[in-house]
Amino acid sequence: MSEALEALAETAGLVWRFHDGAGQWREAPDDSIRAVLAALGLAAETDGDAADTLRSLSEARQRRILPEWMVVRADEAPALEMAAQDAVEWRLECADGSLREGRAEGRLEPGHLPLGRHRLFVGGTVTTLLAAPDRLPEPPRGWGVTLPLYGLRPEAGGGLGTYRDLGRAAGALGGLGAGFLGINPVHAGFPNDPLNYSPYAPSSRRHLNVMHIETGQEGASDESELIEYPEAFARRGKALNDAYALYRAGPADPAFDAWRSARGEELERFAIHQALSDVHGAYWTDWPQEYRDRDGTAVREFAAANDDRVRFHAWLQWRAETQLADAQREAHGAGMHYGLYLDLAVGAHPSGAETWADPEHFARGVSLGAPPDAFSADGQVWGVAPLSPLALAQSGFSVLADTLREQFRFSGLLRIDHILGFDRAFWCPEGLPGLYVMMPKRAMLAVARIEAARAGASIVGEDLGNIPDGLRADLDASGILGCRVAVFEREWQGDRGFRNSSTYDPQTLASFASHDLPTWRGWRKGLDIDWRARIGHMDGEAAQRERHARHDDVEAFGRTIENHEGCLDALHAFLGRSASRLVALQAEDILGLEEQANLPGTVFEHPNWRRRLPVPASAFSSDDRFARAADIMRQSGR
């Protein structure tokens, strides 16, 4: 590697030499480094380009009087040391819209800064002041249930579970003492591609999945175990169009018009994107060239000519938001401390609404993923576009703040998927080995604290995988809970058994597994191993080794929970007495299901995101299995 390329890579925060998740030393080639730099908008095709780019970055940094962003304590008046020889004029645009101005020499004192993101203009540059609490409040000790929203059996009609079903489930579980109800991400998906239904590769994380809207017009009930998405989407789509036709035939609705106006330009862009998708297909990268530019003349003309279709898609978001907000109210009304526990996906689909509306914030030509580890020998490529750390900082972290704020509008507890990406993100250039890109961790954690504090909510960060040194300590210092998944919590010394839950870090949420892992029954039977052998992910010999290892693990876990018969009550009691502040029980385990929701590394080989729960939400409150789980949680002091 040339000196110029290495220096530029270091300046840009690239980490191309690292230990992977299995402990093996890796070094990404120069081609990967150049590709990632290009995705960051930094020219490095030749060594001369790299040298020129490095020089430009250095000169820009020298011109700055203050850093690009600074974290300060909310509700205090900071004193900012400036790199300036003479007095300078400054202007502060506060988060509440107010304006302050002044002149300073050596030290700049902008005055008391309330909670929020403030923009300071000085010396021809802009600095984002992130006024955040040092730490979020510690949540009270409690428990809740996680379940798949798509898998809730609708009370009437078939297809996917609805936001109304979610409210019914929250009311039932809240009445049993649960403090939260966790679900899969409900970000906007791809109604025009019913085979792209993964909740973790959404079209937009700032809007909602309209396929969960309840209309009462879906038709005949579907009692099958697996969801057939093409049929479900067609039925729900027709019901939504019919419902809108009835709405349009009625009197004018000033409430919707006021809501639409308040949501502003960002909603309009999304609605226009959805209307374009109805005509040109789900993915904007396949559209005619003139429609790929959100600000182009062709897009404006299309929106004007298809005003009612744009209005329809805005109306769908209004209906979705109304029903999800109702579900949160039902949860609180039933006594839930947090209510809904929503899930923020790690990224957005590279050809979805979010990247069309805000292309400047995303890196192109790369995907988020993970390096090889003990569970994935070739690593993982997730097929979602990463946010650019350079664009994040330049925009004052607006996209991150807006995305978090949208989740907190409907939840008191938020799971941030793969929060490791707040520290470093693994970028995979197409056809090349991946490498890490350092993210502005301190700033991103501050933004998360700002938005959670604004909403009075708590955060759970999924801190599993190849964990960067110091990240868990930083999460704890921020008051963000980590995850302790019992099947991963091992004593790596001695007999390599499982940790007792009383030793878990208190600032965590404990669970047996997750949506990417086997259920309690499935894990004990090794069904995930059977699936991987069946679809060719491991040969017979490897599968047999895994089965032997699983048998040993089941025995070891039985010793830890003091029960070898696979009693679910013993598992729940083990979780209930954990040191973790929160415990999440999985509905699939409570209901005795064996098959898992998702098998990582598969798309259609395994029926991912398609399994229905066997009982409707309205039956939860009278189901002895839920009542028994709740009683065990009460006995554990939760």
Side-chain angles (χ1 to χ4, degrees), residues 53-86:
T53 302
L54 182 64
R55 188 179 307 110
S56 296
L57 291 176
S58 178
E59 291 172 353
R61 187 169 298 170
Q62 290 173 8
R63 288 194 297 269
R64 297 198 63 88
I65 293 176
L66 289 170
E68 197 166 13
W69 55 266
M70 302 176 73
V71 177
V72 298
R73 186 174 294 171
D75 296 319
E76 292 191 2
L80 311 177
E81 301 294 334
M82 299 188 300
Q85 301 298 320
D86 303 311

Side-chain angles (χ1 to χ4, degrees), residues 611-631:
R611 301 190 186 281
R612 287 193 173 98
L613 298 181
V615 296
S618 60
F620 287 2
S621 58
S622 59
D623 192 302
D624 290 342
R625 293 167 292 186
F626 283 104
R628 178 61 183 158
D631 187 55

Side-chain angles (χ1 to χ4, degrees), residues 358-556:
D358 292 308
E360 64 274 15
H361 291 122
F362 291 90
R364 306 295 298 174
V366 292
S367 167
L368 287 173
D373 58 27
F375 302 96
S376 179
D378 296 325
Q380 299 177 42
V381 179
W382 298 332
V384 292
L387 287 169
S388 164
L390 302 182
L392 266 176
Q394 290 166 3
S395 70
F397 303 93
S398 59
V399 170
L400 176 62
D402 292 346
T403 302
L404 290 168
R405 194 173 305 157
E406 285 303 305
Q407 313 309 308
F408 286 129
R409 290 177 62 208
F410 310 103
S411 65
L413 187 63
L414 177 66
R415 176 184 181 271
I416 297 181
D417 189 36
H418 195 68
I419 203 168
L420 279 60
F422 275 31
D423 187 303
R424 60 184 189 183
F426 196 76
W427 290 17
C428 305
E430 187 173 354
L432 292 169
L435 52 91
Y436 284 106
V437 176
M438 299 304 297
M439 301 296 287
K441 174 178 63 175
R442 189 161 178 259
M444 294 176 76
L445 290 175
V447 171
R449 294 197 303 276
I450 289 169
E451 296 305 324
R454 193 193 306 275
S458 298
I459 299 176
V460 177
E462 193 233 356
D463 54 344
L464 306 174
N466 195 13
I467 304 167
D469 291 342
L471 176 62
R472 281 184 165 174
D474 290 336
L475 295 178
D476 185 75
S478 284
I480 295 174
L481 278 65
C483 292
R484 295 299 176 267
V485 177
V487 292
F488 291 153
E489 292 300 311
R490 308 294 299 263
E491 298 286 359
W492 296 109
Q493 305 297 325
D495 65 1
R496 297 171 63 84
F498 290 86
R499 291 178 59 196
N500 193 297
S501 62
S502 63
T503 68
Y504 291 178
D505 299 322
Q507 193 74 6
T508 58
L509 176 147
S511 64
F512 169 68
S514 75
H515 57 261
D516 286 335
L517 295 169
T519 64
W520 169 239
R521 285 191 174 185
W523 180 75
R524 291 178 59 81
K525 288 187 174 183
L527 295 187
D528 54 316
I529 301 170
D530 295 344
W531 268 105
R532 293 195 181 281
R534 187 182 312 149
I535 63 180
H537 283 195
M538 60 175 67
D539 59 31
E541 184 177 339
Q544 196 59 30
R545 286 197 303 271
E546 289 296 317
R547 291 188 183 99
H548 284 305
R550 179 65 54 82
H551 176 271
D552 292 343
D553 285 348
V554 168
E555 287 294 311

Side-chain angles (χ1 to χ4, degrees), residues 128-160:
T128 301
L129 299 180
L130 300 168
D134 287 338
R135 196 173 197 272
L136 296 174
E138 292 185 352
R141 191 171 166 84
W143 69 282
V145 174
T146 60
L147 55 78
L149 174 57
Y150 57 85
L152 275 177
R153 288 186 179 272
E155 295 294 319
L160 311 177

Side-chain angles (χ1 to χ4, degrees), residues 24 126-127 159 162 172 174 200 214 223 272 282 295 323 337 364 409 414 458 532 547 572 613 630:
Q24 298 297 311
V126 60
T127 295
T162 69
Y200 289 93
E214 184 170 307
E223 298 298 328
I272 292 169
D295 297 320
Q323 292 188 8
H337 178 80
R364 306 295 298 174
R409 290 177 62 208
L414 177 66
S458 298
R532 293 195 181 281
R547 291 188 183 99
H572 286 169
L613 298 181

Side-chain angles (χ1 to χ4, degrees), residues 239-315:
L240 292 172
N241 276 281
D242 290 347
Y244 180 66
L246 289 173
Y247 171 81
R248 290 289 280 156
D253 188 349
F256 166 61
D257 292 333
W259 172 86
R260 184 182 181 187
S261 177
R263 295 288 274 151
E265 182 181 1
E266 205 279 328
L267 171 68
E268 291 306 299
R269 284 181 178 172
F270 176 78
I272 292 169
H273 173 277
Q274 298 301 91
L276 280 163
S277 294
D278 290 341
V279 176
H280 298 291
Y283 308 107
W284 66 265
T285 49
D286 296 331
W287 295 351
Q289 189 66 42
E290 62 268 27
Y291 296 118
R292 300 182 191 182
D293 178 6
R294 69 180 187 200
D295 297 320
T297 301
V299 170
R300 290 196 299 273
E301 292 175 348
F302 174 90
N306 295 271
D307 176 70
D308 190 59
R309 198 61 186 171
V310 174
R311 181 182 174 84
F312 167 67
H313 286 291
W315 179 81

